Amino acid sequence: MSVTSVSIGPTRRDRLARVAVAAVFALHGMAAGSWAARIPWVKEARHLSPADLGLALMGAAIGGLTAMPIAAWLSARVDSRTLTRAMVVGVAVTLPLPAFAVGMPLLFGSLFLFGAAGGVLDVAMNAQGVTVQARYGRSIMSGLHGLWSIGGLIGSATAGLVARADIAAPAHLLAVGIVIAVVGTLCGTRLTPAPPSAPGKVFARPDRALLVLGVITFCSLFGEAAAADWSAVYLRTVAHTTTDVAAWGYAGFSLSMAAARLAGDRVVERLGAPLVVRAAALIGALGLALGLLVPVTPVVIVAFILLGLGMATVVPLTFSAAGRTPGRDPGTAVAAVGTVGYGGWMIAPPVIGFVAQATSLTTALALVAVMTALIALPANALREA
């Protein structure tokens, strides 16, 4: 009888936990997409140069990088369910702050808080996802990250409609923050309790396998962050499109990522992770290069769609592989890879801004094409993903 009970698969509680953690991923994506699409409003309303914007975005970078060691420390001592519930509210509270900020110090500080909250939530929700995946006995991480992309699509597309209606970013982002806080709190009650990791292993130096996974994640998230924070700016300032149409660059990027991630598990089972990642990375790099060489609005939007395909499966596969690393606690391993990888997410926006100021935004985004192509080189590290 006990054998039969094991064979029936996940319980109802497990399924509710999967829905809940998927919703958290979507809410986090919605926050990112909503903010990304309103960056042009902040740039124009505060009269920021590319360098000023890059410096302001560095606040989020520094906040996120500062939060990563804290996230690793917390994930070893606090149940990932508790940490995820708390940080969903943290992201909701900090999301509207940059839109209200007047002056560089306040803008920088508000983005620091938003980046820190998002960084801790990244680690917490991925650790929770690994826990739920273990109870399922099969891969669900690609789907969870697909929901993050859908959330980004909803956030950016809604922001485009809101911008067309001439609704200012402060009111818009405040409303989004309230929705995230309410829905996230409700979903948090259905997450799965997960024992904290062993405290002594949190700050252990990552071994070679985790370091390689971290470098792959770094390159991928560098491209994701660049698309999130600069796709709308590129369409607005280089392709000379309207503010509402500019939001569709990131919307297309998010849509292609969502579609590829939702189908990712089945494709990887057939072709293998290394081949999928290599092919996708080259498609993304070449697609973005086309958009930089031909800065016409439809071409640029297609370019970001192809870049989304290139990025789609990388992070789910690296986190999934990290969570199964022999001799490593899943939460600690995910935090280790995230600490290395999310450096790419955090430094990309300011790096792009400074390079754009010194050269051009086209040249700066060429770095993204190069980073995307580099993902193909160490793809064999995902053989067991």
Side-chain angles (χ1 to χ4, degrees):
M1 189 69 179
S2 60
V3 174
T4 303
S5 63
V6 172
S7 65
I8 62 175
T11 65
R12 181 175 181 272
R13 184 174 181 178
D14 295 333
R15 293 189 180 92
L16 289 175
R18 181 181 180 181
V19 172
V21 73
V24 171
F25 271 78
L27 291 172
H28 190 6
M30 182 185 299
S34 298
W35 161 244
R38 299 317 299 257
I39 289 175
W41 184 94
V42 173
K43 181 179 184 296
E44 294 178 7
R46 307 304 179 216
H47 308 289
L48 303 176
S49 69
D52 290 335
L53 181 59
L55 180 61
L57 293 173
M58 186 178 287
I62 295 174
L65 288 173
T66 301
M68 282 297 163
I70 298 173
W73 184 87
L74 287 172
S75 67
R77 292 162 173 79
V78 180
D79 178 13
S80 66
R81 177 180 65 173
T82 301
L83 189 57
T84 300
R85 291 170 65 177
M87 296 320 300
V88 168
V89 177
V91 167
V93 170
T94 57
L95 170 62
L97 297 182
F100 285 96
V102 177
M104 282 296 293
L106 288 177
L107 182 58
F108 183 95
S110 62
L111 284 169
F112 177 93
L113 294 175
F114 181 55
V120 178
L121 180 57
D122 275 323
V123 172
M125 71 185 189
N126 275 287
Q128 175 68 194
V130 169
T131 298
V132 176
Q133 177 175 261
R135 296 178 68 90
Y136 259 71
R138 59 184 175 85
S139 176
I140 64 169
M141 290 296 287
S142 183
L144 293 180
H145 283 263
L147 267 294
W148 190 96
S149 298
I150 289 176
L153 170 64
I154 293 172
S156 58
T158 301
L161 296 175
V162 169
R164 175 174 288 183
D166 291 326
I167 298 175
H172 165 226
L173 295 181
L174 180 60
V176 174
I178 292 172
V179 170
I180 291 174
V182 172
V183 178
T185 299
L186 293 175
C187 291
T189 62
R190 296 296 185 177
L191 296 176
T192 298
S197 311
K201 297 184 179 180
V202 177
F203 295 110
R205 184 173 60 183
D207 56 24
R208 182 180 181 277
L210 290 180
L211 185 59
V212 172
L213 292 174
V215 170
I216 295 173
T217 306
F218 181 97
C219 292
S220 177
L221 291 178
F222 187 96
E224 286 193 43
D229 285 355
W230 289 98
S231 58
V233 176
Y234 182 79
L235 278 160
R236 184 80 174 94
T237 61
V238 179
H240 304 294
T241 189
T242 59
T243 301
D244 57 315
V245 173
W248 284 97
Y250 186 64
F253 176 86
S254 299
L255 179 61
S256 64
M257 285 194 74
R261 282 175 169 175
L262 292 174
D265 291 326
R266 292 189 294 272
V267 175
V268 169
E269 286 178 2
R270 293 184 179 184
L271 302 179
L275 178 58
V276 170
V277 169
R278 283 197 188 96
L282 293 177
I283 289 172
L286 292 174
L288 179 59
L290 175 63
L292 299 177
L293 292 172
V294 186
V296 178
T297 298
V299 176
V300 173
I301 292 176
V302 170
F304 282 110
I305 289 173
L306 293 176
L307 181 63
L309 291 176
M311 300 290 99
T313 57
V314 179
V315 174
L317 289 175
T318 55
F319 281 149
S320 182
R324 296 197 305 273
T325 303
R328 290 275 187 168
D329 173 82
T332 304
V334 169
V337 171
T339 300
V340 177
Y342 278 102
W345 178 275
M346 300 307 168
I347 71 169
V351 166
I352 296 298
F354 291 135
V355 174
Q357 181 71 18
T359 57
S360 68
L361 185 53
T362 299
T363 301
L365 290 178
L367 291 175
V368 178
V370 173
M371 297 286 280
T372 304
L374 289 176
I375 293 172
L377 297 179
N380 276 336
L382 298 171
R383 186 177 292 109
E384 301 302 324

